[in-house]
Amino acid sequence: MSSQAQTVQSLLKSFPQRPFDQKILRELVGEEVQKFQGKSSPENLKSQWEFLLKNEVFTLAATEGSALKCNSISYYDGLRDRLDLVLTFTEHDACEATFPFTVLQDLLETQTITSCSQIFSWIESSAARLTKDMIPQKGKALILLRTLNDLLRRLSKMGPTTIFCGRILTFLSGVFPLGERSGVNLRGEYGPMWEGVKDVEKRDEDVAMEAAKGPENGEKMEVDGGKKDSVDTKEKDGFYTTFWSLQLPFSRPPLFAFPNTLGEFKDAVDKVLPVIKEATTKERAMMGNRGASGASGSLKRKREPELGEASNNSEYFFAKFLTSPELLNLEIADTHFRRQMLFQLLILLHHLLSFTRASKAMWCTPRNRSLQMDFTLEPADAQWVSDTIVKASAELRSTAPNGPTFADTVNVILDREKNWVKWKNDLCAPFDREPWSAEVDGKKVGMEEATREARSRRREDPEPWQWNLGSESLTEIWEMGYRDLSDLQNPFQPGDVKDFVKKVKQEDARIEMRRKQLVKNAERLAQARAKAAAAIAESTGPSTATQETPAPAPTPIPAAETKVEPPATSLPALLAVSGIPSSPLHPSLPPKPGSSPIKPLTEAGATSPAHPPSTVTPAPPSSMIAAPMPTPAAASASASETISAAVPSPAPPLTDDQITRFEENKQRWSWLALRTARDQYLQHFGKIGTGDVVLLANEIEAEKEREKNQKTQKAEEMIPTLSRVLVTGGAGYIGSHVVYALQQTRRYKVVSVDNYHNSFPASLTRVAQLARDALPENPSEADKESAEIDALQCDLTCPEQIREVFERYGKGGIWGVVHIAAYKAVGESVEIPLTYYTNNVAATVSLLQIMSDFDCTRIVYSSSATVYGTPPVIPIPETTRLKADSPYGKTKVMSEMIIDDLCHAEPDRWRAISLRYFNPAGAHPSGLIGEDPRGRPGNLLPLLAHMAIGRVDDATLKVFGNDYPTPDGTCVRDYLHVLDLASGHLLALDALEPESSVFDNCPDDARYKAYNLGKGKGMSVLQIVEAMRKATGFDFKYEIIGRRRGDVPDLTANPTLAEMELGFKAPQTLEVMCRDLWNWQTKNPQGYTQQ
C-alpha cells in the first residue's frame, strides 16, 4: 500500500505540462500498473488504487477556500491533473468503470459553484473518454445523469447561472437521447447524427467478393434458384435502406432546406406506409386466431443479450440493436415499433406544416432567425403532408390494443406542442431597443450631447446655503433658544388648558424680549447719530450744519436753535418715528432670512424734494438727536417745542413684524384653549370676561383642588371601616395568594374558611406574616386589623357549618364572598363524578342560600377555562358556548348557571362575577407561600417541581398524547402567574362596588358577568418542560402515552374583555413563573410540613 502511494505521488510530480498528449500519461500509468500486477488479487488492487486516488483528489479539494485566495489557477490545474489520473487508471482497468463518476459526484457536492464550473469544463473536454462504452440506463450512465441533475437542481436555487445551466443541458442532450426506452427516438438524437445503414453496404461488398470467388468444392449453383434468391435479397435490402433512411430527416429537419430532401422523403414515406398497414392487418387477423386457440406463447423472436449486458425481460424491441435486413419484418411486426415510428412521422409532418406560406407569416420574425430555414412548403406538398397525416393517424387508430386511445393521446400531445410553440412566440416580447436620444433644438442627439450643459453645471461651485445650521427647522430651533436635546424631549402636547396657557406665556416672553432688543438697538443708533451730528457741528460751524441738515418739518429751524439736546419723547416714540424694522440676534450675524434690512432713520420720515430718498444717511435734524446727558430746563423746554412739531403725540406702541407674528400666535393659542375647554369647562366661561385663558386655567385648577379635598375628606371618613370578605378555600394555593392580595390593600378584613382537604393551615400563618411585614412604620388600628386573618375550619358540604360562620358576624357582617373552594382534578372527576358534583355544585347552592339569608349578595366565583370544552375558536372569547368535556368542567358550568339564574331572579340584590381561570403557576417571590397539594400533584408545573426536588418516585413524565392539532402535538394551555390571577380578584371585588359602572352595559337588569383571566398566549406541554429544565437545571425525561379523557387540545384565553372593563393585566412571563416556583420548592422541599 505504501509503495502504491509513492507511485501516485511520483506520477503527480512527473505529470506532463499542459497541454500534453494523452498517450504520454497512458504510458506512464500503464508502466506503474504493470509493476503491481500479480502482487495481490485484482479486487484488492482496484480498491487500493481507488482509495489512494480518491484521497489525493479530496485532500486537494479540502483546501479550496485558502487556495482560491492565493492562486486559483494552480488549484484548478492540480484538480484536473488528479481527475485525469483517475480516468487514466480506470482506462487501464485498475479501477471500476464507475469510479470516475462517483468521484465527480462527491467532488461536485463539496465545491463552490465557481469550482463546479471548472470541474464541468474538464467533464466537457473528457466527454469522449468518459462516455466510451456507456450503456444507457445502467452503470456509469445513471451516475452521470444523477450527478448532473443534482447540479442543475443546486444551480436553480442560486443567482444568475443561466450560462452554466445551458452548458449542462447541452452536454446532456449530446450524451443522452431524448427517449432512452426506444431505439427510435421521437425527436431524433441530439448530438450524434444519423450515419446511414452501413451494414447493408458491407453486406453488398461481402456478396460481391463471394461471387468473385465462385463455387467451392466443385458444387454447382442452380441458376434459377440463384436468381430468385438474389432478387429477394435485393428487394429486402432496398426496403431496409428506404425504411431506415427516414431517420435522417427525423433527426435533422433542417435538411429539408436542400432541394431533393422533400422528394426523397415523400417517396420513402409512400413506400413505408403500405408495408406498415399490411403488418397491422396481419396482426389484427392473427389476434382472432390467438383468441380462438387460447393463450399461446409469443411468436416474436427475442434477441440474445450481448456480452456485458443483463437480459431485458421487457416486451419492447430496441431498434438500434436490430440492423439486419432479415430482422426488419420482425421489427415491423411489433406494435410498439410501428406506433413509435408513426408517432415520429406525425411529429415531423406537423413540423413541416408550420412552413407553409400562411404559417410562416405568423411566426417568422427577425427575432427568431435561429429557428428559420430556407424552406417553404408549396401548396401541392402541403396537401400531401395533410393527406399523409390522415393516413398515419388512421394507422395509429387501427393498431391493437387500444389503438383509438393511443391515437387520441398522440393528437393531444401534438396539439399541446403547437400551442406551446405559439405561446412562446407570442410572449417573447422584443428586447431590441434603440439608443437613448433626446430632441435638442429640433435635432435628435445622443446622451452625451443632451447632458453636456447639465454636466457642466454640476462642476460649478454651489451657492452658499441660506440656513447656517443645515436646515430651516434647525436654524429656527436654535434662534428660539433651544440649546440641548433635553429641551426637545418633552414636546408640547395640546389637550389641557394649562398647556395652552404655558404657550401663551411663552409668546408673551418672546414679545417682551423682542421689545427689549428693539429698545437697545434704538439706543445704540441714537447714540451713534448724536456723536456723528456733534462731530459735524464742530467741524463746519453752526451755519454750515444748519444749511446741510434737512429739516423734517416744512418750516426751517433757526441756526441759533441747532444744538445737541436730549429728546423730549421716549425711545418707543423715537423708534416709531424712525420705523426701525427687526434686527438680527447679534450685530455680527446677518439678519434672519425673510426680514427687511435696516433703513436709515430719515427714510422713514418725510423727505424734501432737495433731498431724495437715495441720499446715503444724511445728518439727522437737531430735534431728532438724543443726548445721553440731561440739560437745563430752559433748553429742555425749547427742545420740547421743536420735537413736538416733528413727532406726533401720543407715540404708537413699539412693534415690528416679529412682534406681530408673536401676537398672532398668542391669539391662536388662546382660541385653541377656549375651544378645547368648551365641552369640559363651559361652566367657567362666565367667570373669565372676554376670554382670559389664564383666568380660565386658574378657575379649573381651583375646581380640581376642591374635588381633591372632597375625595381626601371622603377617604378619611372611610378609612376606619374595613369591608369583611369571606374567602372559601383560603388556605389553598390560589386562595392563599388571593388572601395576600386582599391584605396588601389594607381595605379588607379577610375571613378564610377551609376544610384543609388539599391544603395546610400554615399557609395562612405565613400570609399574615407577609401582611404584618408590609405595614408602614406607624400603622393605624385598621391597618393592623387588616393584617390579621380569621381562619376558620369549615366544610362547605355541611350547611350548618356555613351558617355558623355567618352567624358569627351577623346579618350584613360579611360584605362579599370570593368562592374558590372546589375539587379541581380533571382526571379524578372522570373517576368519581358524584363526589365532584356534591362538593362543587351542591356546596355552592348551600353557600348561596345562606348568603341570601344574611344579606351577603356579592360573590366572585372561581370558575375555569374547562367550561369551554373543545373551543371552536382560539383564543377563546367569553362569548364562546359553554360545553365542558369533563365532570369537573360541568360542575363549573352548572355553578355559573346557578349564579346567573340567581342574579336574574333578584337583580336588585345580587351582584356576581365569574372568573374563568386558565392555568395559574408560580409562587410568591419570597418563597414563603406556594403550591403544596397533598399527595401527587395533579397539575403539570408542580409535578415537574416535585420530580426535580425528588418528592415523587417517577423518573419519567407521562405526556398524554402528542397527536393533537398543536405545533408539537401536545396540549396547549394558557399559563399566568398566580399573583396576576390574585390581582384579578381585587379588580372583580372593586367591580361589585355600588358606584362601579361595569354592569352598565348588561343586556338586562341582571348584574352578572364572566371574564377570562389569562395571558392570551398558549404554551405546550413540551415547552413547559423545557422552561422548567432551564429554571431547575434538571434533565426531565418524558414518555408519550395515549390521550386522557376530558383533555382538550388548546385552551388559550382572549383576555380582552377583562382588560377593557376590569383593567386586568398579566405581565409576568413563563420564565418568572418557573423561577418563583423553583424558589418556593427549593426553600420548602417538603412543602408546609416539616418532615
Side-chain angles (χ1 to χ4, degrees):
M1 187 76 172
S2 60
S3 57
Q4 287 176 282
Q6 293 175 0
T7 300
V8 174
Q9 292 293 335
S10 63
L11 284 172
L12 289 173
K13 291 178 181 178
S14 61
F15 207 88
Q17 294 293 327
R18 295 181 181 275
F20 61 88
D21 191 356
Q22 290 292 337
K23 292 181 181 179
I24 301 174
L25 183 60
R26 286 198 200 97
E27 292 174 0
L28 291 173
V29 173
E31 293 174 2
E32 299 297 336
V33 170
Q34 192 69 28
K35 294 178 182 178
F36 292 92
Q37 283 186 355
K39 293 186 176 181
S40 181
S41 64
E43 291 77 11
N44 288 341
L45 285 174
K46 281 186 178 182
S47 44
Q48 290 170 1
W49 286 121
E50 289 176 1
F51 171 77
L52 293 171
L53 293 170
K54 193 171 185 179
N55 183 61
E56 283 295 330
V57 173
F58 286 99
T59 301
L60 178 62
T63 64
E64 180 193 17
S66 58
L68 294 182
K69 295 178 181 177
C70 302
N71 190 355
S72 61
I73 297 177
S74 60
Y75 171 73
Y76 292 134
D77 286 343
L79 212 54
R80 291 190 190 96
D81 294 346
R82 284 157 176 78
L83 291 175
D84 277 328
L85 205 60
V86 168
L87 184 56
T88 307
F89 267 88
T90 305
E91 289 172 343
H92 283 82
D93 200 26
C95 301
E96 293 292 338
T98 59
F99 176 62
F101 298 92
T102 56
V103 171
L104 287 171
Q105 183 178 16
D106 296 339
L107 185 61
L108 288 171
E109 290 179 355
T110 61
Q111 299 293 288
T112 61
I113 296 299
T114 305
S115 298
C116 287
S117 179
Q118 297 288 337
I119 297 169
F120 186 74
S121 298
W122 179 86
I123 295 175
E124 289 175 317
S125 62
S126 308
R129 299 169 62 195
L130 285 169
T131 58
K132 184 180 179 182
D133 299 329
M134 189 170 67
I135 301 173
Q137 299 185 352
K138 294 177 183 176
K140 56 186 181 182
L142 289 178
I143 300 175
L144 179 61
L145 188 62
R146 181 169 61 246
T147 301
L148 296 182
N149 282 333
D150 290 342
L151 183 57
L152 282 173
R153 189 178 303 110
R154 180 179 169 191
L155 291 174
S156 66
K157 301 176 182 178
M158 306 298 292
T161 56
T162 308
I163 297 177
F164 194 3
C165 293
R167 289 170 57 198
I168 297 174
L169 293 173
T170 304
F171 179 82
L172 287 172
S173 66
V175 174
F176 299 98
L178 186 64
E180 285 189 347
R181 286 292 296 167
S182 171
V184 182
N185 297 313
L186 299 183
R187 296 262 186 180
E189 293 185 348
Y190 288 90
M193 299 299 177
W194 180 255
E195 298 177 358
V197 184
K198 295 182 178 179
D199 292 340
V200 175
E201 299 172 1
K202 185 177 180 182
R203 175 192 172 98
D204 292 342
E205 294 176 1
D206 295 341
V207 170
M209 291 177 64
E210 292 293 334
K213 289 181 180 180
E216 296 180 359
N217 300 328
E219 295 180 359
K220 187 175 181 180
M221 298 176 64
E222 296 182 4
V223 176
D224 295 340
K227 284 184 178 179
K228 186 176 180 180
D229 293 342
S230 177
V231 171
D232 292 342
T233 302
K234 287 183 179 179
E235 290 180 357
K236 189 181 298 182
D237 292 346
F239 180 75
Y240 177 79
T241 304
T242 301
F243 181 86
W244 287 110
S245 67
L246 290 174
Q247 283 298 309
L248 189 59
F250 285 172
S251 61
R252 299 180 65 187
L255 289 176
F256 283 99
F258 295 98
N260 299 329
T261 304
L262 180 61
E264 295 173 356
F265 176 72
K266 290 168 63 176
D267 294 341
V269 171
D270 289 339
K271 291 178 182 179
V272 170
L273 279 182
V275 177
I276 292 178
K277 183 175 182 179
E278 181 182 355
T280 303
T281 304
K282 287 181 181 180
E283 185 182 44
R284 294 177 66 86
M286 290 177 64
M287 287 179 64
N289 295 334
R290 288 181 188 144
S293 61
S296 61
S298 175
L299 300 178
K300 293 187 285 188
R301 175 181 172 184
K302 303 292 185 180
R303 71 177 178 87
E304 296 295 331
E306 296 183 1
L307 184 61
E309 180 185 356
S311 176
N312 193 331
N313 296 326
S314 173
E315 61 180 350
Y316 290 96
F317 279 92
F318 290 84
K320 57 183 163 185
F321 300 115
L322 300 175
T323 56
S324 172
E326 287 81 4
L327 298 178
L328 182 59
N329 290 334
L330 193 61
E331 290 177 310
I332 295 177
D334 180 35
T335 303
H336 300 287
F337 182 87
R338 293 198 309 277
R339 281 179 171 177
Q340 294 187 31
M341 193 276 171
L342 290 171
F343 192 7
Q344 191 170 7
L345 176 62
L346 285 172
I347 291 174
L348 186 57
L349 292 174
H350 279 281
H351 178 63
L352 290 176
L353 283 180
S354 64
F355 283 88
T356 62
R357 296 185 186 277
S359 299
K360 285 182 69 174
M362 297 175 62
W363 62 264
C364 184
T365 64
R367 289 187 291 112
N368 55 14
R369 290 187 296 271
S370 61
L371 302 178
Q372 301 173 20
M373 60 181 179
D374 188 13
F375 171 71
T376 303
L377 196 64
E378 300 299 332
D381 296 331
Q383 183 62 40
W384 177 86
V385 171
S386 301
D387 296 341
T388 307
I389 289 175
V390 174
K391 293 178 184 178
S393 301
E395 286 302 318
L396 271 182
R397 191 170 292 275
S398 61
T399 56
N402 303 321
T405 304
F406 184 80
D408 293 340
T409 304
V410 169
N411 291 332
V412 169
I413 294 173
L414 294 174
D415 289 341
R416 289 182 178 176
E417 182 75 7
K418 288 189 291 186
N419 292 335
W420 184 84
V421 173
K422 181 177 181 298
W423 172 75
K424 291 291 288 185
N425 281 329
D426 292 344
L427 291 188
C428 288
F431 53 85
D432 297 333
R433 286 191 174 184
E434 296 182 359
W436 186 91
S437 61
E439 190 169 339
V440 177
D441 299 332
K443 174 170 74 168
K444 218 174 189 183
V445 297
M447 179 178 290
E448 184 176 0
E449 180 69 22
T451 59
R452 181 176 288 117
E453 184 179 353
R455 286 184 283 111
S456 63
R457 285 199 305 268
R458 294 183 65 179
R459 295 190 185 99
E460 298 175 358
D461 293 333
E463 296 180 359
W465 187 242
Q466 57 178 333
W467 313 115
N468 57 349
L469 291 179
S471 67
E472 182 181 5
S473 302
L474 286 175
T475 305
E476 187 162 352
I477 285 174
W478 184 267
E479 291 179 355
M480 288 172 61
Y482 294 102
R483 294 294 182 269
D484 192 75
L485 287 177
S486 59
D487 298 338
L488 303 174
Q489 287 178 349
N490 298 315
F492 170 68
Q493 299 291 340
D496 199 350
V497 175
K498 62 181 180 181
D499 296 326
F500 290 104
V501 170
K502 188 183 300 182
K503 299 299 291 185
V504 169
K505 290 182 177 180
Q506 287 180 358
E507 298 297 338
D508 286 336
R510 291 191 180 101
I511 292 172
E512 185 63 26
M513 290 175 62
R514 182 59 185 167
R515 284 178 175 165
K516 289 180 180 179
Q517 188 179 13
L518 290 177
V519 170
K520 290 180 181 179
N521 291 342
E523 288 177 352
R524 288 198 300 268
L525 186 62
Q527 291 174 3
R529 287 179 175 171
K531 291 179 181 179
I536 292 172
E538 291 176 359
S539 61
T540 60
S543 60
T544 306
T546 305
Q547 291 175 1
E548 292 183 357
T549 303
T555 305
I557 301 175
E561 297 178 0
T562 304
K563 58 178 72 174
V564 179
E565 295 180 354
T569 57
S570 63
L571 281 172
L574 180 63
L575 292 173
V577 173
S578 60
I580 297 173
S582 62
S583 61
L585 295 177
H586 193 270
S588 64
L589 297 176
K592 185 177 179 182
S595 62
S596 58
I598 300 176
K599 297 180 181 179
L601 187 62
T602 55
E603 291 184 15
T607 57
S608 63
H611 300 276
S614 60
T615 303
V616 179
T617 318
S622 60
S623 60
M624 299 296 291
I625 297 174
M629 299 298 294
T631 57
S636 178
S638 175
S640 299
E641 293 175 359
T642 305
I643 293 173
S644 298
V647 180
S649 182
L654 184 62
T655 183
D656 69 343
D657 293 340
Q658 290 190 28
I659 293 177
T660 303
R661 187 167 68 252
F662 294 152
E663 291 287 354
E664 291 175 356
N665 291 343
K666 181 178 175 181
Q667 294 295 329
R668 183 166 62 252
W669 292 123
S670 299
W671 181 83
L672 288 173
L674 294 173
R675 182 178 178 85
T676 303
R678 179 181 60 187
D679 298 331
Q680 193 173 0
Y681 304 110
L682 187 61
Q683 68 274 16
H684 299 297
F685 277 35
K687 308 174 186 177
I688 61 174
T690 57
D692 189 346
V693 292
V694 177
L695 188 58
L696 176 62
N698 293 337
E699 289 291 335
I700 293 172
E701 291 299 324
E703 183 185 18
K704 289 181 178 179
E705 189 65 26
R706 287 194 297 271
E707 292 178 355
K708 183 179 178 180
N709 293 335
Q710 291 175 0
K711 287 183 179 180
T712 303
Q713 184 179 0
K714 186 175 180 180
E716 291 175 353
E717 293 175 355
M718 295 176 62
I719 283 177
T721 306
L722 292 177
S723 300
R724 190 175 285 108
V725 174
L726 176 69
V727 180
T728 67
Y733 170 50
I734 297 174
S736 60
H737 289 82
V738 170
V739 171
Y740 165 79
L742 290 171
Q743 288 188 306
Q744 293 305 303
T745 65
R746 294 196 286 274
R747 294 188 290 121
Y748 300 103
K749 171 65 176 178
V750 178
V751 179
S752 170
V753 293
D754 203 313
N755 63 354
Y756 307 117
H757 169 77
N758 194 30
S759 58
F760 297 90
S763 63
L764 294 175
T765 304
R766 298 188 182 187
V767 172
Q769 184 60 47
L770 288 172
R772 286 191 291 270
D773 294 342
L775 289 175
E777 292 185 2
N778 299 310
S780 64
E781 291 299 324
D783 291 341
K784 295 178 182 179
E785 182 67 18
S786 67
E788 301 300 328
I789 304 172
D790 290 352
L792 307 175
Q793 185 169 357
C794 172
D795 191 343
L796 295 182
T797 58
C798 301
E800 62 277 4
Q801 295 185 20
I802 306 174
R803 185 172 294 276
E804 289 178 2
V805 172
F806 277 86
E807 288 177 346
R808 180 173 181 171
Y809 299 101
K811 204 167 191 179
I814 296 177
W815 181 85
V817 173
V818 179
H819 183 26
I820 302 175
Y823 291 163
K824 61 172 184 172
V826 173
E828 185 184 52
S829 71
V830 176
E831 299 171 358
I832 49 172
L834 290 179
T835 304
Y836 269 71
Y837 286 119
T838 302
N839 188 76
N840 294 0
V841 181
T844 301
V845 173
S846 300
L847 176 64
L848 292 172
Q849 288 175 337
I850 297 172
M851 286 174 61
S852 179
D853 294 342
F854 285 85
D855 287 342
C856 179
T857 55
R858 300 180 186 88
I859 183 170
V860 176
Y861 177 63
S862 169
S863 187
S864 169
T866 56
V867 299
Y868 297 117
T870 303
V873 293
I874 298 294
I876 310 168
E878 286 84 354
T879 54
T880 306
R881 86 286 181 273
L882 303 184
K883 189 178 180 181
D885 295 333
S886 63
Y888 164 66
K890 292 175 183 178
T891 63
K892 294 296 183 180
V893 174
M894 292 180 184
S895 298
E896 282 196 32
M897 294 175 64
I898 292 169
I899 296 172
D900 187 16
D901 292 341
L902 181 59
C903 292
H904 277 81
E906 302 180 58
D908 296 333
R909 294 187 65 207
W910 285 89
R911 288 171 174 256
I913 288 179
S914 290
L915 300 179
R916 294 168 183 168
Y917 306 166
F918 278 70
N919 288 71
H924 191 273
S926 66
L928 287 176
I929 56 175
E931 186 169 8
D932 184 27
R934 294 181 183 269
R936 180 186 176 86
N939 295 332
L940 176 60
L941 277 167
L943 178 59
L944 292 173
H946 282 201
M947 290 176 66
I949 205 69
R951 285 186 62 178
V952 294
D953 298 332
D954 297 345
T956 303
L957 174 71
K958 290 182 171 54
V959 178
F960 296 102
N962 66 341
D963 55 349
Y964 289 99
T966 57
D968 58 17
T970 59
C971 290
V972 171
R973 294 293 182 266
D974 190 341
Y975 288 85
L976 76 160
H977 201 286
V978 66
L979 289 180
D980 292 338
L981 179 68
S983 69
H985 290 76
L986 296 182
L987 296 172
L989 284 174
D990 292 340
L992 298 181
E993 295 279 357
E995 60 272 12
S996 172
S997 59
V998 168
F999 299 104
D1000 292 350
N1001 58 354
C1002 287
D1004 46 32
D1005 294 337
R1007 290 171 290 184
Y1008 169 78
K1009 281 194 173 184
Y1011 295 97
N1012 289 338
L1013 294 189
K1015 285 184 67 67
K1017 179 181 178 182
M1019 305 294 288
S1020 69
V1021 174
L1022 298 184
Q1023 288 174 319
I1024 296 297
V1025 173
E1026 182 61 27
M1028 281 296 291
R1029 179 181 288 113
K1030 292 180 181 179
T1032 63
F1034 183 79
D1035 186 15
F1036 293 99
K1037 308 294 183 183
Y1038 62 87
E1039 175 190 1
I1040 305 296
I1041 61 175
R1043 292 188 181 187
R1044 181 175 61 180
R1045 180 173 177 260
D1047 283 343
V1048 297
D1050 193 342
L1051 284 177
T1052 302
N1054 181 357
T1056 305
L1057 186 64
E1059 292 173 355
M1060 291 175 56
E1061 296 190 357
L1062 297 182
F1064 172 74
K1065 293 188 181 301
Q1068 302 298 336
T1069 62
L1070 178 63
E1071 289 74 16
V1072 175
M1073 300 179 212
C1074 296
R1075 181 196 67 196
D1076 291 345
L1077 172 60
W1078 186 237
N1079 179 46
W1080 148 257
Q1081 199 64 66
T1082 52
K1083 290 183 177 180
N1084 304 271
Q1086 300 299 324
Y1088 290 110
T1089 62
Q1090 299 301 321
Q1091 298 177 2

